[in-house]
């Protein structure tokens, strides 16, 4: 059920149920992070392997201190600058956070989301919420309540409706190793913005070189239809023009039917492109076409995080 009923969401969560919640990045599939049975339901509903850890959501830095051993200086600077917002910090966990939440890792991923409804909810609750994106494992993340309903509607009692997500791509995940600041997932806060606060960072996004984040699998965010990056000429050798759908940055592709094309931002605005990304990928996935052709964005600002999603969605 889709509803704006905050009290109902609160009640269901207190009783150990899973509820979909809006955030500014994508919708999350939330449950009491301190209740192992509730957390187990998240993995079950999402069909997610338990080696892929969850982000813990809360509403104040004071509360974060209850869940972690300490907050390194640079982490605190980032938290003060970007929270509430699309930043997730990996911090040394206290025992109160169940191992199931972190997949046995010693750090817990924490973030304060920037969404009025969900912040109200978190203020009311005396426990934090573990929440991955509210999509079946591996599929495109949801940015509206309807997206969640389409895939998980029959498995969860409530989808709290907070409108369309303003940022549209997931949070940037940042941690610290031997004094270095490391970005494990590109996301809603750009690399440049983070470097302005803490100096240079290392970007280490892939699972192969990244045992600390087993869940950041290479194939992810993927539509069901074959999804290709690059040049239309290669696809035109195998497909008719009307069989090809297109996701492009700012302009339509010539020689292909306009009705099967989605343009992320005619004004080349990265924020708008991020906002539209997952919705448009879903729409294309539902069109009567056989393949999707996507265009990479310039590697700047949020273009980097958008390209990361496109590459992981691409058919290997
Ligand atoms: O914007 C977001 O971050 C959204 C909203 C709902 O907050 N959440 C989200 O969650 O994208 P999810 O589960 O789809 O992606 C979280 C990523 C996973 O790739 C996971 O491996 C990584 O965060 N992660 C979580 N806890 C971790 C930990 N303790 N150490 C390393 N990586 C972790
Ligand atoms: Mg996800």
């Amino acid at each position: 059920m889709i509803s704006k009923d905050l009290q109902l969401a609160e009640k269901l969560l207190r009783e150990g149920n899973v509820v979909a919640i809006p955030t500014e990045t994508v919708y999350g599939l939330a449950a009491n992070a301190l209740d192992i049975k509730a957390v187990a339901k998240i993995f079950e509903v999402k069909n997610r392997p338990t080696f892929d850890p969850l982000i813990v959501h809360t509403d104040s830095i004071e509360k974060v201190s209850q869940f972690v051993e300490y907050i390194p200086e640079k982490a605190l600077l980032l938290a003060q600058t970007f929270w509430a917002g699309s930043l997730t910090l990996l911090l040394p966990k206290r025992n109160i956070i169940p191992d199931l939440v972190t997949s046995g890792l010693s750090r817990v991923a924490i973030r304060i989301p920037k969404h009025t409804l969900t912040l109200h909810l978190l203020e009311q609750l005396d426990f934090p919420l573990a929440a991955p994106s509210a999509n079946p494992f591996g599929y495109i993340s949801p940015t509206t309540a309807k997206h969640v309903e389409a895939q998980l509607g029959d498995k969860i009692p409530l989808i709290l409706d907070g409108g369309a997500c303003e940022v549209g791509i997931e949070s940037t995940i940042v941690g610290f190793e031997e004094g270095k600041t490391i970005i494990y997932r590109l996301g809603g806060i750009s690399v440049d913005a983070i470097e302005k606060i803490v100096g240079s960072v290392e970007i280490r996004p892939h699972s192969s070189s990244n045992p600390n984040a087993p869940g950041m699998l290479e194939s992810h965010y993927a539509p069901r239809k074959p999804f290709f990056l690059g040049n239309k000429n290669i696809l035109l050798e195998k497909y008719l023009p009307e069989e090809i759908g297109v996701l492009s940055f700012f302009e339509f592709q010539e020689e292909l039917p306009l009705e099967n094309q989605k343009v992320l931002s005619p004004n080349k605005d990265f924020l708008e492109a991020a906002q539209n990304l997952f919705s448009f990928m879903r729409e294309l996935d539902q069109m009567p076409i056989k393949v999707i052709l996507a265009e990479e964005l310039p590697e700047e600002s949020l273009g980097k995080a958008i390209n990361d999603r496109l590459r992981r969605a691409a058919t290997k």
Side-chain angles (χ1 to χ4, degrees):
M1 178 183 56
I2 297 181
S3 150
K4 292 191 195 314
D5 190 342
L6 209 55
Q7 267 79 45
L8 178 60
E10 212 184 299
K11 177 172 176 286
L12 286 165
L13 288 164
R14 281 187 205 286
E15 290 168 352
N17 294 294
V18 168
V19 170
I21 56 165
T23 83
E24 81 284 20
T25 59
V26 301
Y27 273 71
L29 191 63
N32 179 349
L34 309 183
D35 174 350
I36 297 173
K37 279 193 190 149
V39 173
K41 286 184 193 165
I42 296 177
F43 287 98
E44 196 183 299
V45 169
K46 247 190 96 98
N47 201 7
R48 177 175 173 124
T50 50
F51 60 72
D52 193 0
L54 306 177
I55 297 175
V56 170
H57 299 70
T58 189
D59 62 285
S60 74
I61 296 184
E62 292 72 57
K63 285 190 188 170
V64 171
S65 309
Q66 302 167 12
F67 313 134
V68 306
E69 293 288 347
Y70 58 92
I71 305 180
E73 200 179 329
K74 282 183 181 169
L76 190 60
L77 271 176
L78 290 174
Q80 286 163 341
T81 310
F82 298 113
W83 279 349
S86 348
L87 171 77
T88 293
L89 292 172
L90 297 184
L91 300 169
K93 88 175 189 77
R94 287 202 194 199
N95 287 337
I96 183 173
I97 301 291
D99 285 333
L100 183 58
V101 170
T102 62
S103 304
L105 297 170
S106 60
R107 291 186 297 184
V108 57
I110 300 207
R111 111 177 170 91
I112 300 181
K114 190 178 179 178
H115 192 291
T116 322
L117 204 56
T118 292
L119 281 173
H120 280 311
L121 180 65
L122 289 164
E123 277 163 24
Q124 295 305 312
L125 296 170
D126 51 5
F127 49 81
L129 293 174
S133 50
N135 51 303
F137 186 67
Y139 193 67
I140 306 163
S141 300
T143 53
T144 66
K146 280 226 163 11
H147 291 166
V148 182
E149 187 179 45
Q151 286 172 311
L152 302 178
D154 55 348
K155 295 194 173 124
I156 55 177
L158 177 68
I159 300 161
L160 190 61
D161 188 0
C165 300
E166 273 186 9
V167 174
I169 53 174
E170 296 85 347
S171 59
T172 305
I173 303 182
V174 178
F176 307 87
E177 289 180 42
E178 292 153 3
K180 277 188 289 190
T181 307
I182 300 176
I183 295 186
Y184 299 92
R185 178 176 70 183
L186 298 165
I189 307 274
S190 72
V191 177
D192 304 342
I194 289 170
E195 287 192 323
K196 268 198 196 126
I197 308 300
V198 292
S200 68
V201 303
E202 187 182 319
I203 301 173
R204 209 188 285 170
H206 286 290
S207 54
S208 51
S209 62
N210 187 14
N212 272 321
M216 285 174 242
L217 305 174
E218 275 189 49
S219 174
H220 225 100
Y221 315 108
R224 311 250 183 259
K225 294 213 166 88
F227 188 89
F228 293 101
L229 285 176
N231 193 307
K232 66 172 177 275
N233 295 326
I234 299 168
L235 287 187
L236 281 169
E237 285 173 15
K238 274 175 70 182
Y239 298 94
L240 299 169
E242 59 270 27
E243 292 174 336
I244 304 173
V246 178
L247 182 66
S248 50
F249 181 28
F250 63 93
E251 60 189 356
F252 288 100
Q253 298 270 334
E254 288 168 26
E255 299 166 62
L256 295 174
L258 290 182
E259 65 269 24
N260 296 343
Q261 300 199 39
K262 302 294 291 181
V263 173
L264 288 169
S265 174
N267 300 322
K268 304 190 192 180
D269 174 354
F270 290 106
L271 291 173
E272 184 183 32
Q275 242 170 32
N276 288 329
L277 180 70
F278 289 142
S279 274
F280 286 3
M281 280 168 73
R282 275 173 191 261
E283 283 183 44
L284 285 160
D285 212 15
Q286 276 147 25
M287 285 181 188
I289 50 171
K290 287 198 177 155
V291 285
I292 303 166
L293 173 69
E295 171 189 54
E296 288 184 51
L297 276 64
E299 280 284 321
E300 52 189 80
S301 171
L302 290 188
K304 286 185 194 162
I306 295 171
N307 287 339
D308 171 73
R309 306 299 185 278
L310 294 175
R311 287 172 198 145
R312 283 170 204 251
T315 308
K316 300 277 161 8

